[in-house]
Amino acid sequence: MINDEGLTYLKEHLNFWDKLNDKEKQLLINNVSSVKYNKGENLHGGDKNCVGHLLVKTGELRVYILSEEGRDVTLYRLVPGDTCVLSASCVLNHISFDVMIDAEQETEVLLLNIGAFSKLKESNIHVENYAYKVAADRFSDIMWAMEQILFTSFEKRLAVFLYDEMVKNKSNKINLTHEQIARYVGSAREVVSRTLKNFESQGILKLSRGKLSIIDKEKLRSLI
């Protein structure tokens, strides 16, 4: 069970809520819990069971794939208000694609357990449509990430990432290490460091320990 604040947040972010009957609403309420994850904690993937439907309330999650050699590629990130049904892929017919999900910072989610989510999806067409629409949207994010890695120069890819981070955070300061940026853009830390130093030499940004500052937005944008 969740408190009134959590229930209000749930209603605001699940667009099928008004399409549920009273019994279905009660089933959902009885099976939602507030779960907190520590920074760096893995909550889905590998040998972990199908976790269920996730709605991010605070913090940030990173969704990625992991190769047999241990290399990971970030597919997308989830911020407050975002939902994830790939964490419940075991109830999505014909979808066998599995991902890893880690908490990038202290994160709180509203978690609808897999049994209840499965029942709602089977009994209510609006929940089923919602599940597949969210999955389709996430696969679109995945295809964009793969397209960037396969067909876009690294310099442009890094410029796009930095510009998007600046817009998302509404600040010219980006508090990420080179290692974190490398994970997000699917490259090696050494390549990221070298390219950032090149950007710095062009007067685009200023590097400092664990963060960087964009000092010429237009020049950065011209690389995109």
Side-chain angles (χ1 to χ4, degrees), residues 83-99:
T83 60
C84 185
V85 296
L86 292 186
S87 55
S89 58
C90 52
V91 300
L92 299 178
N93 298 333
H94 311 302
I95 294 181
S96 58
F97 185 82
D98 196 18
V99 295

Side-chain angles (χ1 to χ4, degrees), residues 2-219:
I2 52 176
N3 58 26
D4 291 342
E5 179 191 0
L7 182 58
T8 299
Y9 192 82
L10 197 72
K11 292 177 180 179
E12 290 174 348
H13 291 87
L14 295 184
N15 60 19
F16 60 77
W17 174 263
D18 291 335
K19 307 296 184 181
L20 301 177
N21 60 40
D22 291 341
K23 184 178 179 180
E24 290 169 333
K25 288 179 179 178
Q26 196 59 51
L27 173 66
L28 190 154
I29 292 171
N30 291 342
N31 287 277
V32 171
S33 56
S34 176
V35 183
K36 293 183 178 181
Y37 297 99
N38 296 322
K39 181 179 179 180
E41 185 174 351
N42 174 259
L43 54 140
H44 177 77
D47 58 357
K48 284 184 168 58
N49 293 327
C50 201
V51 64
H53 176 278
L54 297 171
L55 169 59
V56 180
K57 192 175 180 186
T58 62
E60 182 178 306
L61 301 176
R62 181 173 77 103
V63 181
Y64 63 99
I65 52 176
L66 189 65
S67 73
E68 292 182 358
E69 295 77 24
R71 182 188 174 193
D72 63 77
V73 175
T74 299
L75 302 175
Y76 54 86
R77 288 182 285 167
L78 299 169
V79 297
D82 285 342
T83 60
C84 185
V85 296
L86 292 186
S87 55
S89 58
C90 52
V91 300
L92 299 178
N93 298 333
H94 311 302
I95 294 181
S96 58
F97 185 82
D98 196 18
V99 295
M100 306 286 287
I101 305 176
D102 288 357
E104 285 295 280
Q105 51 188 266
E106 299 294 314
T107 301
E108 180 182 1
V109 306
L110 297 181
L111 175 62
L112 173 59
N113 76 51
I114 194 63
F117 184 64
S118 179
K119 286 180 181 179
L120 289 171
K121 178 181 148 311
E122 291 171 3
S123 66
N124 191 304
I125 187 65
H126 299 287
V127 179
E128 183 179 37
N129 288 343
Y130 161 86
Y132 283 111
K133 182 182 184 306
V134 173
D137 289 343
R138 294 307 173 201
F139 275 115
S140 178
D141 293 337
I142 291 169
M143 291 304 297
W144 184 87
M146 293 298 102
E147 181 181 322
Q148 291 292 304
I149 292 171
L150 293 172
F151 304 118
T152 305
S153 70
F154 181 72
E155 182 179 273
K156 180 177 180 179
R157 202 159 87 233
L158 183 57
V160 168
F161 172 80
L162 295 176
Y163 194 85
D164 286 348
E165 284 294 300
M166 182 177 62
V167 172
K168 182 182 76 172
N169 297 323
K170 298 178 181 179
S171 171
N172 69 326
K173 299 184 187 304
I174 299 175
N175 297 313
L176 295 172
T177 65
H178 295 191
E179 184 68 36
Q180 288 175 302
I181 294 173
R183 288 206 311 269
Y184 293 150
V185 298
S187 187
R189 182 188 59 77
E190 294 78 9
V191 177
V192 170
S193 296
R194 185 165 60 248
T195 308
L196 287 175
K197 288 178 181 176
N198 180 38
F199 285 178
E200 185 176 42
S201 70
Q202 297 178 50
I204 296 173
L205 52 81
K206 177 68 176 176
L207 296 172
S208 54
R209 188 175 181 83
K211 60 184 178 180
L212 60 89
S213 300
I214 307 299
I215 56 180
D216 193 329
K217 297 179 183 178
E218 291 307 312
K219 189 173 287 188

